[in-house]
Amino acid sequence: MPQSTQANRFLAARQHDLALEVANRGKLAIESYWAEVAVTTVQAYQMHEFHPLHPDLEHRQQAIRHGQETLALAAQLKAPRILTVCGFGQDIADSPFERTLDFFAELGQAAREKGIEILIEPLSSKRAAAMTDPHEIVHLIEALHQPDVFALALDTGHLLDSGFELNQFFAQWQFPIRELQLKGPASAPPNPTLPLTQWLQSLPALPDVLCVEHRQPVSVADFEQIVAWLRQSIEVLL
């Protein structure tokens, strides 16, 4: 969000009736969020560094600790879910499916105790060397056999970067999507040239969460325009 202070970001969120998705980078000051704004999802953001596909054992163990810490933060923030990935980068350990299955099976125990859902998001093939196909993530979720704990998140930017034609992809997709992150190729902010309404109309059901996520900074005017465009696209479907 482009507002200069956290207080102004909270104010903008309340003015636009938005919830926030926050990133746990290891130093999340949760007390600043209490009673200020709803938090819908907490990202286990350090899984860009510590993840179950890392070739180093200590990094894989740190990924479990980071996931557990993120679950604890979500519980304190009263956020119903956390967002995770399987791996990051091109240097990965062997047997990626089996490693991620073991990782999430262990993390799922802590999630169930706290009543927190774990979302698993496939990154693009440009960002990771394995577990980037959405169908692989569906297979992983089904293999975990805990539909009340694990669910799917998709990101339009990662899908575009992986070469999917999204009108066709969403028209053929049948597995539930809990959260849909919206951005353009190469992590660009979403804009009105993206056929969002067509994508959403193609889905068997609307996701519980629509999240704007991008790396490139935007102005306050751009932020206002993005919010207005998204609301208009969603209202067409209601």
Side-chain angles (χ1 to χ4, degrees), residues 129-150:
M131 302 300 291
T132 59
D133 190 307
H135 297 90
E136 290 181 294
I137 305 303
V138 169
H139 181 35
L140 174 64
I141 291 172
E142 291 175 339
L144 286 162
H145 297 300
Q146 298 183 71
D148 58 329
V149 174
F150 295 100

Side-chain angles (χ1 to χ4, degrees), residues 13-232:
R14 291 194 299 270
Q15 288 175 334
H16 291 285
D17 193 24
L18 303 175
L20 294 183
E21 179 162 309
V22 299
N24 176 23
R25 300 172 184 263
K27 296 181 179 180
L28 184 60
I30 60 171
E31 62 277 1
S32 65
Y33 287 84
W34 288 332
E36 291 289 345
V37 66
V39 176
T40 186
T41 309
V42 181
Q43 293 186 5
Y45 193 83
Q46 286 187 301
M47 287 188 75
H48 290 80
E49 180 179 0
F50 307 110
H51 54 78
L53 297 185
H54 200 286
D56 181 75
L57 174 61
E58 174 55 32
H59 280 247
R60 297 197 299 269
Q61 293 173 337
Q62 181 61 34
I64 283 288
R65 292 192 288 271
H66 179 60
Q68 292 169 339
E69 291 165 0
T70 304
L71 286 168
L73 287 172
Q76 291 176 285
L77 290 168
K78 302 187 185 313
R81 60 188 66 86
I82 70 168
L83 181 71
T84 65
V85 297
C86 291
F88 188 81
Q90 302 303 311
D91 185 18
I92 63 169
D94 59 349
S95 305
F97 183 86
E98 290 75 13
R99 289 193 182 274
T100 52
L101 182 63
D102 291 343
F103 170 85
F104 284 109
E106 181 176 352
L107 193 61
Q109 297 176 13
R112 182 179 295 279
E113 292 171 1
K114 291 179 169 57
I116 304 293
E117 188 174 51
I118 297 175
L119 305 184
I120 307 176
E121 172 196 356
L123 299 178
S124 82
S125 52
K126 295 181 179 180
R127 299 286 180 88
M131 302 300 291
T132 59
D133 190 307
H135 297 90
E136 290 181 294
I137 305 303
V138 169
H139 181 35
L140 174 64
I141 291 172
E142 291 175 339
L144 286 162
H145 297 300
Q146 298 183 71
D148 58 329
V149 174
F150 295 100
L152 176 71
L154 291 179
D155 183 309
T156 59
H158 287 309
L159 293 171
L160 290 167
D161 287 346
S162 291
F164 289 103
E165 199 290 309
L166 292 193
N167 281 324
Q168 180 181 6
F169 176 86
F170 285 124
Q172 296 175 348
W173 188 258
Q174 295 300 315
F175 194 82
I177 302 169
R178 184 75 76 241
E179 175 173 316
L180 182 62
Q181 297 186 341
L182 305 170
K183 63 173 176 268
S187 296
N191 63 72
T193 66
L194 298 178
L196 175 63
T197 302
Q198 295 178 33
W199 295 345
L200 295 179
Q201 286 175 328
S202 299
L203 291 170
L206 285 177
D208 290 352
V209 178
L210 290 174
C211 173
V212 177
E213 186 201 48
H214 53 82
R215 292 177 179 271
Q216 298 177 19
V218 296
S219 67
V220 173
D222 290 336
F223 168 78
E224 301 275 350
Q225 183 183 45
I226 290 171
V227 172
W229 166 62
L230 292 177
R231 286 203 185 282
Q232 184 180 37

